[in-house]
Amino acid sequence: MPELPEMEAWRRALDGPVSAFPIEKAGPGHIATLKTFDPPLEVLEGRRLVGAKRRAKRLLFPTEDGELVLVVHLMTAGRLRYLLPGEKRPKTPAFRLRFEGGAELILTEAGKKKRAGVWLLTPEAADAELAHLGPEANELDAGQLGEILAGESRRLHSLLRDQRVIAGIGRAWANEILHVAKLSPYALSKDLRPDEVNRLHEAIQSELARGLELRERGANDKRTYRIHNKLAEPCFVCGTPVAQVDFEEHTIYYCPECQTGGRVLKDRRLSRLLR
Ligand SMILES: [Zn+2]
């Protein structure tokens, strides 16, 4: 799933183009993708978008008149593309916006499952829809992070991915951040010492910035990630083979030397079953 760096790179790329021309035709949208029907999509036609904004892993496209916001959540397999007039179009995109002059914003989704979503909302309804989200991960200061960590005792990997607590981090960047912070994915948030809180804060900022820079240059997953999906490859810091463990619904990647003092983490799902 695209996370904060990926979505922010997309936002920056789309910000100018989507506001260049008024919308000529909105939709159609796949029945599973379009999550709202009132107001109808047609009310977008003739209006101009003011640009692209982002909240957590969602993109927001407000209209210039301030009356409407188009919200897009790509989930795992959704992709947004801005196509110039004459560029080849996918036959049945999940959603499309055509602009005057012929450019199009296209949402496609690989695979049969349609999980990506598009909402057309008033600004008030959009605020309500996004109200459950925590502060943006890349805007947190160390003090705020310390308060969040002290607020509840949770395993770090799980807490970092909880959008209601901190917005924008998913499993890939949680792996990258915890590796740079030299912290165990299973460490409990309340157990962190002040120097560890600072390390985690620095790692969140530096890793999200590194990710954004790479994604803006078009780097793929293989080049962007250094720990995530790198099972058995040497850790880039110490050379120890990267390990993995299943936790909740995710596979965590980590370095046993850098992060867990040489200990191999146990599969929590399995140990729960055997208890
Ligand atoms: Zn290592």
Side-chain angles (χ1 to χ4, degrees), residues 110-128:
K112 284 221 167 67
K113 274 191 189 151
K114 297 289 175 229
R115 296 181 60 217
V118 173
W119 294 255
L120 182 59
L121 301 165
T122 62
E124 298 73 32
D127 285 347

Side-chain angles (χ1 to χ4, degrees), residues 32-35 73-75 78 107 109 114-119:
T33 307
L34 187 63
K35 308 289 189 190
H73 196 331
L74 298 174
M75 298 302 289
L107 170 63
E109 192 167 16
K114 297 289 175 229
R115 296 181 60 217
V118 173
W119 294 255

Side-chain angles (χ1 to χ4, degrees), residues 179 182 227 234-242 254-259:
H179 179 264
K182 297 193 184 299
I227 290 294
C235 163
F236 69 91
V237 175
C238 73
T240 303
V242 170
Y254 68 101
C255 171
E257 182 64 30
C258 292
Q259 293 177 258

